Structure formats: structure tokens, C-alpha cells
């Protein structure tokens, strides 16, 4: 039955057929225990070195996409399990690329006052997942919508220097995920941030809060309903979401 499923899938999808051929050795064991294969694939990406991370993430994308597709077509996973697997991959990719790139900035002395211990929390920077990614609803061809912010209170008097480093990290993260080399991980869209036409790709949380208080629009209130922290300093992201509660859920709403 599994071979029939693979044959029918390969006949209908050149993309999945190519993935089956490329990952055939891994696939033999993966179809026997798909949940374990998913966990192992994410664990391998988390263990990759900084130099190997871009290729490791692309391998993880191939394997998770193939596994999710076969489990979807074969009726092994429910819809929420399929979209959940793709979303977990996106979360891991964003967090790993973000923390790795911030660690590099810290090693180069570009992030004022930060130490190696700060790399695990990305030095106070957080990526917030919006839209389908925020809701755990990614499909096979989804872009990921991200808003990148940093906690300026960790850099008193040195906010501008920290912002310059975080802007660089954000651009490199988007490039690491989106560039087509050995495939790509996820196309990344950063345009949901406040006043995207004039603001940098990473803002301080204070600047973002001021924007939403003064100029936030109705569609932005709606966009934040699905938002959640997905990479970097998750605790700082949760604190920021709490500060936005009065903006998203206005007092005159029951």
C-alpha cells in the first residue's frame, strides 16, 4: 500500500517524485515511523553548526515537506498535523537562523554589552510569526510573515548601535531562509511591520508600540490576532504582545 501511494504521488507530482529520489535512503525508515522521523529531522537541524546551518535547513525542508505530503495523501495525519509539521519547521528555521546570526554579531563585538550567554535569547531580539504561520496553518507553498523587534531596554544609551546590528541580522536571516541555493527554506515577508515603506526591517519594541498607539490601522489590529513569538527572545515577545492587547482588543468591544 505504501509503494502504491508513492507511485501514484510520483506520477502526479514531479516535485515530490524528485524529493523521493533524493531522499530515498532516509524515506525507507521515515515511512515506518513518521512522527519519529519528523522529530529526528528537526533535531538534526538544531544540532547543525553555523556553517552547515543553511544546508541543514534546506535538507530539513525537503524531508518535512515530503513526509507531510505522503502522510497527508495517505490519510495518516490530520490536516492540523500536516500544517503543524510545516509550521514547526518554520519555527525551528527562524529561531535557529536568528540565534546563530546574533551569536555571530556578539562574537564580532557588534552588539554592545552582549555576552555569549545572550546568544540563546538572541540578545533580546524576537521574530513574531503573523498570518498563517502565527496560527499554525502553513501549507506547502506558504510564505512566512514575520515582524522583527528588539527589547531596547537591554541597551540603555546604546540603542542605535544595537538596532544597526539587529537590522543586519534580520536581513541575513531573510536571505538564509529565502535564497535559492540547494532549494530554499521559506520565502520570508517582512512587510507587515509598522509603516514598512519607511521603517527598517527591525524596530525597537518602544517604537512599534508608539506607532500602533498613534497610527495603527484596522487591518493591523486584525493581523495581530494570530501573532505569536516564534524565534529569538520568546519571553520578550510575549511581553510585547501583552502591551498590544489594548490596541488589538479595544475597550468598547465586548
Amino acid at each position: 500500500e505504501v509503494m502504491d501511494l508513492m507511485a501514484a504521488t510520483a506520477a502526479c507530482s514531479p516535485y515530490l517524485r524528485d524529493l523521493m529520489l533524493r531522499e530515498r535512503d532516509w524515506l525507507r525508515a521515515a515511512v515506518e515511523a513518521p512522527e519519529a522521523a519528523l522529530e529526528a529531522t528537526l533535531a538534526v537541524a538544531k544540532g547543525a553548526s553555523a556553517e552547515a546551518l543553511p544546508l541543514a535547513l534546506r535538507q530539513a525542508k525537503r524531508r518535512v515537506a515530503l513526509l507531510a505530503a505522503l502522510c497527508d495523501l495517505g490519510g495518516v495525519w490530520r490536516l492540523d498535523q500536516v500544517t503543524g509539521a510545516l509550521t514547526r519547521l518554520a519555527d525551528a528555521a527562524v529561531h535557529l537562523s536568528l540565534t546563530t546570526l546574533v551569536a555571530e554579531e556578539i562574537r564580532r563585538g557588534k552588539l554592545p554589552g552582549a555576552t555569549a550567554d545572550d546568544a540563546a535569547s538572541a540578545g533580546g531580539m524576537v521574530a513574531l510569526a503573523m498570518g498563517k504561520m502565527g496560527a499554525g496553518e502553513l501549507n506547502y507553498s506558504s510564505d512566512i510573515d514575520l515582524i522583527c523587534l528588539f527589547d531596547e531596554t537591554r541597551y540603555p544609551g546604546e540603542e542605535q548601535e544595537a538596532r544597526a546590528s539587529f537590522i543586519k541580522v534580520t536581513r541575513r536571516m531573510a536571505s538564509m531562509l529565502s535564497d535559492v541555493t540547494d532549494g530554499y527554506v521559506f520565502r520570508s515577508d517582512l512587510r507587515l511591520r509598522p509603516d514598512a515603506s519607511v521603517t527598517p526591517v527591525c524596530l525597537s519594541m518602544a517604537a512599534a508600540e508608539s506607532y500602533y498607539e498613534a497610527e495603527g490601522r484596522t487591518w493591523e489590529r486584525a493581523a495581530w490576532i494570530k501573532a505569536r513569538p516564534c524565534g529569538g527572545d520568546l519571553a520578550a515577545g510575549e511581553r510585547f504582545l501583552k502591551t498590544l492587547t489594548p490596541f488589538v482588543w479595544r475597550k468598547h468591544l465586548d
Side-chain angles (χ1 to χ4, degrees):
E1 290 178 338
V2 172
M3 291 303 297
D4 288 343
L5 171 65
M6 288 194 204
T9 301
C12 295
S13 171
Y15 173 67
L16 293 176
R17 179 196 63 210
D18 291 344
L19 291 187
M20 288 183 204
L21 292 172
R22 186 164 186 180
E23 299 292 340
R24 56 187 177 273
D25 294 335
W26 169 83
L27 187 58
R28 291 178 185 275
V31 295
E32 298 297 330
E35 288 80 8
L38 173 63
E39 298 300 331
T41 298
L42 295 175
V44 169
K46 291 175 182 177
S49 65
E51 296 76 17
L53 183 59
L55 287 178
L57 291 177
R58 281 157 176 76
Q59 181 187 66
K61 172 63 180 294
R62 292 194 303 269
R63 292 181 173 181
V64 173
L66 176 56
L67 186 64
L70 291 174
C71 289
D72 188 4
L73 294 169
V76 178
W77 285 355
R78 302 183 310 273
L79 175 61
D80 62 308
Q81 290 177 288
V82 175
T83 59
L86 296 168
T87 303
R88 286 188 62 196
L89 171 66
D91 286 356
V94 170
H95 182 72
L96 290 171
S97 57
L98 190 58
T99 53
T100 299
L101 291 168
V102 168
E104 182 180 333
E105 287 292 291
I106 293 173
R107 283 195 298 272
R108 296 172 59 212
K110 298 296 184 180
L111 203 55
T115 66
D117 293 337
D118 295 315
S121 62
M125 181 181 171
V126 62
L128 293 144
M130 312 293 288
K132 289 182 180 179
M133 182 178 177
E137 298 170 347
L138 287 183
N139 61 47
Y140 301 105
S141 60
S142 293
D143 297 353
I144 57 174
D145 294 299
L146 302 172
I147 293 179
C148 294
L149 305 173
F150 70 95
D151 182 1
E152 74 287 345
T153 62
R154 294 179 62 162
Y155 303 95
E158 298 177 302
E159 180 181 331
Q160 295 304 315
E161 293 86 346
R163 186 178 76 158
S165 284
F166 289 132
I167 289 172
K168 187 183 300 182
V169 165
T170 303
R171 288 174 176 161
R172 289 178 175 173
M173 176 188 69
S175 177
M176 183 182 293
L177 298 179
S178 302
D179 285 356
V180 179
T181 54
D182 184 17
Y184 65 93
V185 189
F186 287 98
R187 294 182 299 272
S188 305
D189 191 340
L190 304 172
R191 293 174 295 176
L192 287 183
R193 68 185 184 276
D195 211 356
S197 62
V198 296
T199 56
V201 291
C202 185
L203 296 84
S204 70
M205 293 182 177
E209 184 179 357
S210 296
Y211 166 83
Y212 290 121
E213 286 180 352
E215 303 179 45
R217 289 164 286 181
T218 300
W219 72 264
E220 289 174 310
R221 299 178 194 272
W224 280 97
I225 292 173
K226 292 184 177 182
R228 63 178 177 82
C230 65
D233 192 339
L234 303 182
E238 292 289 356
R239 290 194 299 271
F240 179 76
L241 289 180
K242 287 183 180 179
T243 66
L244 278 196
T245 299
F247 167 71
V248 178
W249 306 105
R250 288 169 285 182
K251 290 182 179 180
H252 68 268
L253 297 174
D254 62 26

